[in-house]
Amino acid sequence: MYNARERYQMQESMAASGDDDMTELAISSLPLETRCPPYPLRQHGGFWFSEPFLPAVAAARARFEARTSDVLLASFPKSGTTWLKALAFATLHRTDNPTLSLDHPLRRRNPHDCVEFLEEAFASLSPEDSGGDVLAGLPSPRLLATHLPYTHLPKSVTAAEGTGCKIVYICRDPKDALVSKWLFTKKKLAFAAVDDNPPKPYPIDEMFELFCDGRCTCGPQWHHVLGYWEASRRQPEKVLFLRYEEMLRDPAGSVRKLAEFMGCAFSGEEEAAGVAEDVVELCSMDTLKNMEVNKNGTQNYVKNEAFFRKGVVGDWSNHMTPAMAARLDKIVEDALQGSGFAFGATAESA
Ligand code: PAP
């Protein structure tokens, strides 16, 4: 009998060596889960993916050509992606876009419109598509994002030392990610609903059971986190592992760490002028939430305001019972046993 950790390692090596046949026929043979709205999920290499995105995952894996100057922001959904996109964008592009400029792109565009998801870029292939890297036209340094597990990243990203690109991962307590995802999904369903066909009620228990079984987009969440954490241990110069909770505690320190990792540390002059603090302020929940584009703009599947809710630690306790929390904590603890990683630990201690 294999323990949870050994099962994860087997799945990981399956995904690494697994074939990327994502034709309709191949997809239809993968394990199916239909209880996670809005899309059916399929399991591949130990993780669950939204079925409609699988061909794009395969295309991104095969065709994206990483540059050493690229920075890829990676996360399990609802772990602080929007915030990280804003912070990384404001930091990396501060020469062209001064942080205090009233015309800063983050004042006009949602962070998701400033930093594109890799898998979404490859999902919108046109009939004239020539089969190459659809992001090749973007100037360097490219800042991109992904929700893909480490095992499913494009091969050029995880390539051997000296090639590939930098990755910044943001991790969040699974209970808070779950609650955030549940409330976001309800907003997404309401956005897609039409007056004479309102969304069905979606109690948290339905999502909780599936989440505990790893059945959610890019789940199991704890395996997603573990894959990047292990990569950050193997190659700390290539993978920066951040924790949402620590970033909330020390946002300016986190921005400095991010800047240094991306190769654009703040100069003495910038430090004296308080630029890191300005980045934090520009990207804070209050500032972003109150921008016109984030109050009234939309993505094609949800209103922008849905990305900015509370942004705190521990909101799970307002939606989950202590028994639910204890059950999920135990599942996660068992799955991570022997890995050296723990949620709630500090970056240094885990
Ligand atoms: P995504 O995966 O759909 O991109 P993501 O941005 O990862 O979503 O997660 C959204 C969470 O980040 C929300 O958490 P909550 O539901 O628990 O409140 C959202 O409020 C939070 N968030 C968004 N922007 C910020 C910010 N500027 N600072 C802190 N947290 C933020």
Side-chain angles (χ1 to χ4, degrees), residues 189-211:
L189 295 174
F191 185 80
V194 281
D195 286 347
D196 55 352
N197 191 10
K200 285 195 307 203
Y202 186 41
I204 192 168
D205 314 53
E206 274 181 30
M207 183 163 173
F208 178 77
E209 289 303 323
L210 294 162
F211 191 94

Side-chain angles (χ1 to χ4, degrees), residues 1-10 334-335 337-338:
M1 198 57 190
Y2 298 105
N3 66 28
R5 168 111 193 97
E6 286 163 341
R7 278 202 304 277
Y8 166 66
Q9 278 167 339
M10 285 190 296
D334 288 351
Q337 211 167 31

Side-chain angles (χ1 to χ4, degrees), residues 78-82 112 172 180 244 283 285 307 309-311:
K78 299 300 156 203
S79 302
T81 325
T82 315
H112 290 289
R172 190 180 192 187
S180 183
Y244 182 79
C283 303
M285 173 67 95
F307 292 102
R309 200 179 61 89
K310 285 190 174 172

Side-chain angles (χ1 to χ4, degrees), residues 227-294:
Y228 283 94
W229 183 79
E230 288 180 338
S232 75
R233 291 265 137 160
R234 282 193 305 269
Q235 291 180 279
E237 67 297 339
K238 261 188 88 169
V239 185
L240 176 66
F241 190 91
L242 298 173
R243 293 175 187 251
Y244 182 79
E245 297 79 8
E246 275 184 14
M247 287 172 62
L248 281 179
R249 264 198 303 275
D250 180 13
S254 304
V255 166
R256 287 193 182 93
K257 207 189 273 184
L258 182 61
E260 201 168 310
F261 178 78
M262 294 195 297
C264 56
F266 295 99
S267 66
E269 229 170 81
E270 286 180 310
E271 283 294 357
V275 177
E277 286 75 13
D278 290 342
V279 167
V280 169
E281 177 57 28
L282 173 66
C283 303
S284 72
M285 173 67 95
D286 272 359
T287 308
L288 291 181
K289 200 176 191 164
N290 287 309
M291 295 210 180
E292 177 61 22
V293 64
N294 295 325

Side-chain angles (χ1 to χ4, degrees), residues 164-175:
C165 67
K166 289 187 173 173
I167 299 171
V168 180
Y169 187 75
I170 183 165
C171 136
R172 190 180 192 187
D173 181 285
K175 301 186 291 303

Side-chain angles (χ1 to χ4, degrees), residues 144-156:
L144 297 161
T146 186
H147 281 322
L148 294 179
Y150 187 80
T151 46
H152 287 71
L153 288 177
K155 290 165 189 148
S156 66

